[in-house]
């Protein structure tokens, strides 16, 4: 079900992205993305608390302590509520000032932008309040439930896009319908969790000591969440300071493509993270190491299969997908997918760092590197750099951050398989991707753009990528595991039918 959700989600996401751009227009879509980036910029506070909540819930479940599980959720929920109130206060003060005085928007659209800002604030609050409930679903590994709710969420967003043509003020209508839909999704998460998980039923005492532990742990996660938020939203806001809104539209489309394809990675990794943390808590080191290497490989190769055809033929696919393609969109898409490929192992590595409970050094070093995205992007643009150099800088910083993660985990976890990770994962992944890229590159070099070239290059790309993954990417035991997983999935599907 989880992987069906990925494919359905990808198709719906691509269609809605196309229609939103067509309905709003390039400039309005760019303005919407800038306002959205501003409103969600501070969501890192809630995300950091969510990461800590996941760690404490998984740890309590790993040791089989139901009372501790209840205490953690109830305390974490009140923590999330306080974080939401703090974010709302900051957005209604500092955020409003920034929106009125710093965002580069046409003067005649400023009143409309203010309305959209307030509506998107409600959307963000609903989304943030659902986080502890989504986390609980992942902790209990109810992936089918998450998949069903997510598919419903995506179908609702599709309906919103289809209804846009009925409205005159499309920007306001789009934001308002998204906010209403987010509230209904929140209600579904709350209802399901309260009915099925005893820890999610409100009541009980607020544990001050646990709250202090949770927030202390979260204080280091704030750095990581802030760095990730500023990497995407911050770069988009800086672009708004130097370039036209159509460039924000191009960046928004590239983010949309990246997040859509990145769903292949995140859904698989979300299923593996609870087992990683729980195996560490239970002292099952050998299983933890095997799961780390295997999940990192599968995540990388899943994204590689989805991203390679897009990287090689981005111009053709964008022209086919969108009714109007903003300038720089294709180069943005290519570079951001490369950056996503580099970052595929970070979810599993981050989960291991969280499991140790000692994350100060990890977050300071890794977040410090990622936070350089915004100042370096500003300097590049200040000295006349091209728009795509911002993403090139992000790619270099992602490589440095990955190296930092590995070195710190080697220090935090005795026996961390650094050599195996470098040789069994990184070396094999790069080698497989390099050989897989050669045949489609030859097709692109000798054939003219069009349907025939796309059919030949994408078929060649998928075929050679699958071949190189099986031949080079996986070792013999991993190939056996992959074949077993595929056989079981096919058997379950046949039995279901």
């Amino acid at each position: 079900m989880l992987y069906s959700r990925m494919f359905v989600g990808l198709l719906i996401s691509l269609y809605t992205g196309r229609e939103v751009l067509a309905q709003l227009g390039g400039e309005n879509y760019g303005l919407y993305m800038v306002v959205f980036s501003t409103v969600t910029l501070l969501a890192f506070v809630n995300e950091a608390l969510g990461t800590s909540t996941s760690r404490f819930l998984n740890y309590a479940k790993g040791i089989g302590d139901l009372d501790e599980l209840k205490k953690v959720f109830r305390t974490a929920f009140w923590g999330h509520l306080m974080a939401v109130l703090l974010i709302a206060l900051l957005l209604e003060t500092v955020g409003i000032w920034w929106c009125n005085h710093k965002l580069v928007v046409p003067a005649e659209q400023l009143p409309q932008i203010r309305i959209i800002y307030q509506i998107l604030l409600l959307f963000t609050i609903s989304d943030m309040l659902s986080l502890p409930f989504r986390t609980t679903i992942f902790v209990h590994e109810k992936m089918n439930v998450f998949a069903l709710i997510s598919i419903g969420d995506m179908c609702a967003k599709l309906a919103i896009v289809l209804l846009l043509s009925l409205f005159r003020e499309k920007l306001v209508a789009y934001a308002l319908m998204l906010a209403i839909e987010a509230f209904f999704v929140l209600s579904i998460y709350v209802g399901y969790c309260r009915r099925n998980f005893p820890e999610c039923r409100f009541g009980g005492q607020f544990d001050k000591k646990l709250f202090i532990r949770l927030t202390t742990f979260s204080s280091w996660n704030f750095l990581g969440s802030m760095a990730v938020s500023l990497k995407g939203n911050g770069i988009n806001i800086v672009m708004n300071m130097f370039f036209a809104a159509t460039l924000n539209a191009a960046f928004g489309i590239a983010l949309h493509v990246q997040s859509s394809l990145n769903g292949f990675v995140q859904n698989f990794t979300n299923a593996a993270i609870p087992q990683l943390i729980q195996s560490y808590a239970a002292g099952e080191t050998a299983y933890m190491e095997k799961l780390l290497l295997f999940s990192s490989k599968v995540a990388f190769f899943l994204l590689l299969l989805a991203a390679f055809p897009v990287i090689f033929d981005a111009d053709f696919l964008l022209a086919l997908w969108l009714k109007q393609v903003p300038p720089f969109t294709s180069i943005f898409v290519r570079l951001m997918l490369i950056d996503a490929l580099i970052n595929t192992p970070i979810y599993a590595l981050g989960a291991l760092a969280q499991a140790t409970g000692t994350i100060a050094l990890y977050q300071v070093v890794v977040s410090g590197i990622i936070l350089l995205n915004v100042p370096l992007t500003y300097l590049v643009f200040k000295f006349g750099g091209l728009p795509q150099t911002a993403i090139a800088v992000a790619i270099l910083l992602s490589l440095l951050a990955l190296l930092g993660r590995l070195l710190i985990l080697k220090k935090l976890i005795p026996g961390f398989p650094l050599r195996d990770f470098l040789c069994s994962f990184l070396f094999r992944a790069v080698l497989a991707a390099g050989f897989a890229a050669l045949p489609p590159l030859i097709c692109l070099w000798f054939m003219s753009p069009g349907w025939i070239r796309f059919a030949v290059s994408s078929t060649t790309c998928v075929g050679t990528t699958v071949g190189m993954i099986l031949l080079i990417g996986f070792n013999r035991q991993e190939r056996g595991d992959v074949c077993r997983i595929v056989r079981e999935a096919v058997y379950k599907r046949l039995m279901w039918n």
Side-chain angles (χ1 to χ4, degrees):
M1 175 63 74
L2 190 63
Y3 301 104
S4 299
R5 177 244 179 212
M6 287 194 299
F7 288 107
V8 172
L10 178 62
L11 294 175
I12 293 176
S13 178
L14 291 176
Y15 179 78
T16 55
R18 172 183 183 270
E19 288 303 311
V20 168
L21 179 62
Q23 292 279 354
L24 299 183
E27 186 173 349
N28 281 340
Y29 183 75
L31 292 174
Y32 172 83
M33 289 304 301
V34 173
V35 177
F36 184 80
S37 295
T38 304
V39 173
T40 56
L41 189 63
L42 293 178
F44 69 84
V45 177
N46 199 56
E47 292 290 337
L49 193 57
T51 303
S52 302
T53 301
S54 175
R55 186 266 177 189
F56 278 82
L57 285 173
N58 273 300
Y59 207 93
K61 188 172 184 293
I63 60 177
D65 191 337
L66 180 59
D67 291 334
E68 182 68 14
L69 201 62
K70 293 179 180 179
K71 190 191 299 181
V72 169
F73 179 85
R74 289 166 184 169
T75 304
F77 175 77
W78 286 107
H80 279 278
L81 186 59
M82 287 185 276
V84 167
L85 293 175
L86 174 62
I87 291 169
L89 177 63
L90 290 171
L91 288 174
E92 288 291 3
T93 53
V94 179
I96 288 289
W97 173 83
W98 179 271
C99 187
N100 288 333
H101 297 94
K102 294 297 180 180
L103 285 186
V104 181
V105 298
E108 65 275 9
Q109 287 190 286
L110 190 56
Q112 189 181 45
I113 293 299
R114 289 170 181 159
I115 296 172
I116 294 168
Y117 181 93
Q118 296 296 332
I119 296 172
L120 287 178
L121 176 58
L122 296 176
F123 166 82
T124 305
I125 288 173
S126 296
D127 187 64
M128 289 190 294
L129 286 175
S130 70
L131 183 57
F133 299 96
R134 293 200 307 266
T135 301
T136 304
I137 289 174
F138 280 117
V139 168
H140 288 277
E141 301 182 50
K142 300 294 184 181
M143 303 307 172
N144 286 347
V145 174
F146 172 74
L148 282 172
I149 296 174
S150 297
I151 290 173
D153 180 26
M154 289 179 287
C155 290
K157 287 183 169 64
L158 174 61
I160 287 171
V161 172
L162 295 176
L163 289 172
L164 266 182
S165 60
L166 302 177
F167 296 91
R168 182 179 177 184
E169 297 292 340
K170 297 183 187 300
L171 265 177
V172 175
Y174 181 59
L176 182 59
M177 287 190 288
L178 283 180
I180 295 171
E181 190 268 342
F183 176 78
F184 278 110
V185 172
L186 168 64
S187 302
I188 292 171
Y189 275 120
V190 173
Y192 176 82
C193 290
R194 288 192 63 188
R195 175 172 293 185
N196 293 277
F197 308 129
E199 66 269 24
C200 296
R201 291 162 194 163
F202 302 127
Q205 294 183 343
F206 178 79
D207 193 313
K208 294 181 181 179
K209 291 183 179 179
L210 178 59
F211 180 71
I212 292 172
R213 286 171 54 205
L214 195 65
T215 51
T216 302
F217 194 84
S218 298
S219 63
W220 295 111
N221 283 324
F222 288 152
L223 278 174
S225 298
M226 179 173 64
V228 172
S229 178
L230 285 174
K231 180 180 178 180
N233 296 324
I235 290 175
N236 200 20
I237 292 171
V238 172
M239 280 186 176
N240 177 255
M241 299 168 66
F242 289 90
F243 302 100
T246 51
L247 197 69
N248 293 114
F251 190 80
I253 292 167
L255 275 177
H256 188 84
V257 173
Q258 185 192 50
S259 62
S260 297
L261 296 184
N262 217 24
F264 286 93
V265 176
Q266 291 181 333
N267 284 304
F268 175 82
T269 311
N270 284 338
I273 282 176
Q275 296 180 49
L276 274 172
I277 297 177
Q278 291 164 26
S279 61
Y280 179 87
E284 299 172 353
T285 307
Y287 176 71
M288 179 199 73
E289 293 176 358
K290 178 183 176 181
L291 184 60
L292 171 66
L293 293 174
F294 185 68
S295 63
S296 298
K297 282 187 179 182
V298 173
F300 179 85
F301 291 135
L302 279 173
L303 183 58
L304 189 70
L305 277 169
F308 251 15
V310 180
I311 291 173
F312 289 127
D313 230 333
D315 291 304
F316 175 78
L317 288 173
L318 287 169
L320 184 67
W321 172 39
L322 302 174
K323 296 178 181 178
Q324 49 180 321
V325 183
F328 292 97
T329 304
S330 62
I331 187 65
F332 281 177
V333 167
R334 288 188 174 103
L335 291 175
M336 291 180 74
L337 288 179
I338 292 171
D339 184 62
L341 284 167
I342 294 169
N343 285 314
T344 47
I346 68 172
Y347 307 104
L349 295 175
L352 277 184
Q354 299 290 331
T356 65
T358 308
I359 59 171
L361 179 63
Y362 181 90
Q363 292 291 15
V364 167
V365 173
V366 174
S367 303
I369 294 171
I370 298 174
L371 281 170
L372 292 174
N373 274 285
V374 171
L376 290 180
T377 297
Y378 182 86
L379 289 175
V380 166
F381 290 164
K382 190 72 175 177
F383 289 100
L386 294 172
Q388 60 265 36
T389 53
I391 310 176
V393 168
I395 290 172
L396 293 175
L397 292 176
S398 292
L399 288 169
L400 286 175
L402 178 59
L403 178 61
R405 286 182 174 93
L406 294 173
L407 293 177
I408 293 168
L409 283 173
K410 177 66 176 176
K411 183 177 180 179
L412 291 178
I413 302 176
F416 177 77
L418 178 59
R419 175 175 289 183
D420 288 342
F421 193 90
L422 293 174
C423 297
S424 181
F425 169 63
L426 284 180
F427 178 73
R428 284 176 176 267
V430 172
L431 199 63
F435 280 114
L438 293 177
L441 281 175
I442 294 172
C443 293
L444 296 180
W445 184 264
F446 288 104
M447 299 180 70
S448 300
W451 275 105
I452 295 177
R453 189 182 80 169
F454 171 70
V456 173
S457 66
S458 59
T459 303
T460 305
C461 181
V462 172
T464 54
T465 302
V466 171
M468 291 301 104
I469 288 171
L470 294 175
L471 185 65
I472 299 174
F474 290 122
N475 59 35
R476 180 178 297 177
Q477 181 181 354
E478 290 165 341
R479 281 194 291 272
D481 290 338
V482 170
C483 292
R484 176 180 54 79
I485 292 171
V486 172
R487 282 198 304 269
E488 289 178 356
V490 172
Y491 177 76
K492 288 181 180 179
R493 179 61 61 183
L494 291 174
M495 292 298 293
W496 178 266
N497 293 332

